[in-house]
Structures are given as structure tokens and as C-alpha cells.
Amino acid sequence: MKITVIGCGSIGKIFLAALHLRGHEVQGWLKLSSQTNLVVNIKKPKGDFFYKIITCNNIKHLINSKLLIVCLKAWQISNVLLPVLDFIPKTTLILLLHNGMGVIEKLGQLNNPFLSGITTNSAWQKNNIVFHTNNGVTHIGPINRISKSFKFIADILNDAIPNVVWSDQIINICWYKLASNCIINPLTVKYNCKNGNLFQFSEEIENIIIEIYKVMKKINLDVNKNKLINYIYDIIKKTSNNYSSMLQDIRNCKKTEIDYITGYLINKAKIYHINTPKNNNLYQLVKNLEKINCDYK
Ligand code: PAF
């Protein structure tokens, strides 16, 4: 299948490599339109390496792609994707794979079939090498009527990347993941630590979860408090050796996804008059650090 991966950070590169290895015709799509090649160098979870130079930014390849996988940061998506949508046929399937929620609202009317996805694959990059530390699960599912018939895409992806699962209740799963990001990401920034170090802050974690749980319950999601707590601790355990993406962003003076994670939760809570003081504090803490550390262009 002809596929374009938009946004080639760690997760984008993992998808490019895996799909290439299964014989798909893949290309990357990068901000810098003059860049036509991308070095994809990955140290896989078992220690073996993938190395290949992958073609980028070929407009013909983009137009003929049957699938676009968008692996950008939440706050980048509408700016990058909206101009691309003008080029591609209305039948091209688009899979959004990112942390946080609230992106779809920013895209306006969705004329193409759209899938939402979340992944617990974890990876980080140093000196252009991706360290893929953990093979997680990737859930994908339909977010508009015309994407409901694309279940077969989960099989195609699963054939390349282990553990891709189709879910008709993708929004529910996105909320579980959002909850884990509301805990892990700002707390690892607050304590400047690896995910695994968060086990010592269990009381604080559980107080934050209670606020999130109230919001999830209010919007009628299928949520169980103990299941939510266990889900979050399971992610902390499985990614214990990782630095969260938010801590990596703060350390690298990059804009974080806090507005699409804790910010999204707080906005939903406001609608239902639910107080979220713990999440508000974490939101302010990350916003302040963003301001102090970074000089956005
Ligand atoms: O944003 C991240 O870093 C990841 O979503 C997660 C699961 C919190 C692991 O670090």
C-alpha cells in the first residue's frame, strides 16, 4: 500500500520502518519541503537496529497514498494537515496518532475518512537515533461515519507493527490514555524524573485521578475508577525507564502538548462545573516552565 507518514519524530519513524519492512511503499512528510530524504535509524526493543534512508516530500506519492498516518504533536496538526487536505482525494484514509484530545474539533468538517489512534509504544531520540524502548499497544478506531468500514487497516498495520487493535469505542480509549497523560506527563515535569519514579507519589496521583474520573463519569464514558487507576499504573510500570514526552519537550525547550492534555480536561471540567484544583496547578506549572524556558518562533 502507498502510505505517507506526516511528522517523522520517534513514533513516525517506527511506523515508517515497520511498514517499509512489510513491503509497503512509504514516504515521510516533513515541514521543510526541500528535504527529500530522511535517515531512519532505530534501535529496536530487542537491541537490533533498523537503518534506511527513506524518501520524503514527494507530492505525487502524497496524492496517490491510500493512507496518511499523522504522527505530529497535537498542537501542530491543524496547521500542517489542513493545507495537505487540499491536495489529496476525499477518499484518502487519515489516521491521527497523537497524545491528547481536541485536535478533531480544530479540523472543522471532516470530508475524508478519519481514524483516531493512540499508542503506548514508547521511544525517544538522541543524535538522530530512535531508541524504541517498549512495544506497546496501538488502538485505532473510526471518528466519522465514512471511516467505520476501515477495520481491515488494523490488520494491515498489525501485520507490520505488533499489537494494533481496532476499536469501535476509540473515544473511550482515548480518554483512558488522556487520563494517563494527565498524570504521567506533568508529574514527570514537576519532579524532573523518569516515569517509574512516579510510584513514590501515589497519594498525589490518586487525588489527580479522582478529578479526572469525575469528568469522565459526567460525560457518560464507560469508566471504572479502579480500572482507570490500574491502567495508569500499568503504563507507568511498562514505561518506567522512560522520560515522558512532556519532560523531553521541556528539557529541549520545545512547546509541550499540555493544552491538549490537562488543558483539554480542565476545559471539559469547566463545562460541567467540576473543580479540578490539582490539575489546574499542574497545568500552570507546565505553562510557567514553557514560558521561562522557551522562546517559540
Ligand atoms: O507522552 C508520553 O511520554 C507517553 O504517552 C507515555 C505513555 C506517558 C509514556 O512516556
Side-chain angles (χ1 to χ4, degrees), residues 99 119-120 122 177 180-181 184-185 195 235 239 242-246 248 257:
N99 274 340
T119 185
T120 54
S122 47
K177 180 71 190 327
S180 75
N181 285 124
I184 300 171
N185 296 34
N195 296 357
I235 294 189
T239 63
N242 252 47
Y243 290 103
S244 78
S245 56
M246 195 168 281
Q248 291 180 56
E257 292 176 298

Side-chain angles (χ1 to χ4, degrees), residues 35 78 88 95 104 129 155 162 186 222-224 235 244 269 282:
Q35 193 177 336
S78 57
I88 59 167
L95 166 62
I104 294 148
I129 301 175
D155 297 331
D222 178 13
V223 58
N224 168 291
I235 294 189
S244 78
L282 288 176

